[in-house]
Amino acid sequence: METRGLSKETRALWANEIAVSNVVGRLIEFWGFKRNMGRVWAVLYLSPDPLSAEDLRQLLKLSSGAVSMTLSELSRWGVVRKVWVQGERRDFYAAEVQLWRMISRVFNEREKGEITMAIDAFEEALAMLDTIQLGRDADAKTRARVELQRTRIGQLLELARLGQRLLDVFLSTAKIDAEPLVRFLLGTRNEPRS
């Protein structure tokens, strides 16, 4: 019985796979995720066949627990999925290969929530400023401080609202298949979908 897992001869990553997985790991870490999430996704992305958790453990020299947690997180984000391999009892995994869809999913779940939270906080901060009593006896320094903060928090609020609108436009394009446009703009050839 032939399995789609790694054969003994291919149980090592090529130099380019190591380089790509390390770079993607660093980029993902910069974006606020765990480095191994990027490394595991990149290895799956570059693999012609689905890989098992054990394959990933051996290729990346990670513990079973680290691979398991990483695959669970990547599955939750929708950037890897379990696939069935005939004749195998183990779970196998494949990467999301439509980059536009993957990035928009993360933006929708993470960045959109952060921007909404920031807008709410800025609006609340402005409302707090409105509760400061500035009677006739308030000194000029206090009045100036309130006005400065009202102006600057207002600017932050407008920036957050602009970010929200831009993100909404970006995410609305993700509802259509933007991959052909991305491929055209990047000058890349069509790749079959998985």
Side-chain angles (χ1 to χ4, degrees), residues 107-155:
F107 275 157
N108 190 45
E109 291 184 28
R110 197 175 77 161
E111 275 68 10
K112 192 170 183 178
E114 289 296 322
I115 289 176
T116 300
M117 185 183 71
I119 289 170
D120 292 345
F122 295 145
E123 288 173 342
E124 186 177 329
L126 285 172
M128 288 178 203
L129 276 177
D130 290 340
T131 65
I132 295 174
Q133 298 298 320
L134 293 176
R136 280 190 232 160
D137 30 327
D139 64 8
K141 198 171 186 178
T142 301
R143 287 178 188 279
R145 181 176 174 188
V146 167
E147 286 310 309
L148 173 84
Q149 289 186 12
R150 182 173 283 120
T151 299
R152 290 186 178 174
I153 293 170
Q155 290 171 341

Side-chain angles (χ1 to χ4, degrees), residues 6-17:
L6 297 172
S7 68
K8 288 183 181 179
E9 302 83 47
T10 59
R11 288 213 181 264
L13 293 174
W14 294 348
N16 63 297
E17 292 170 316

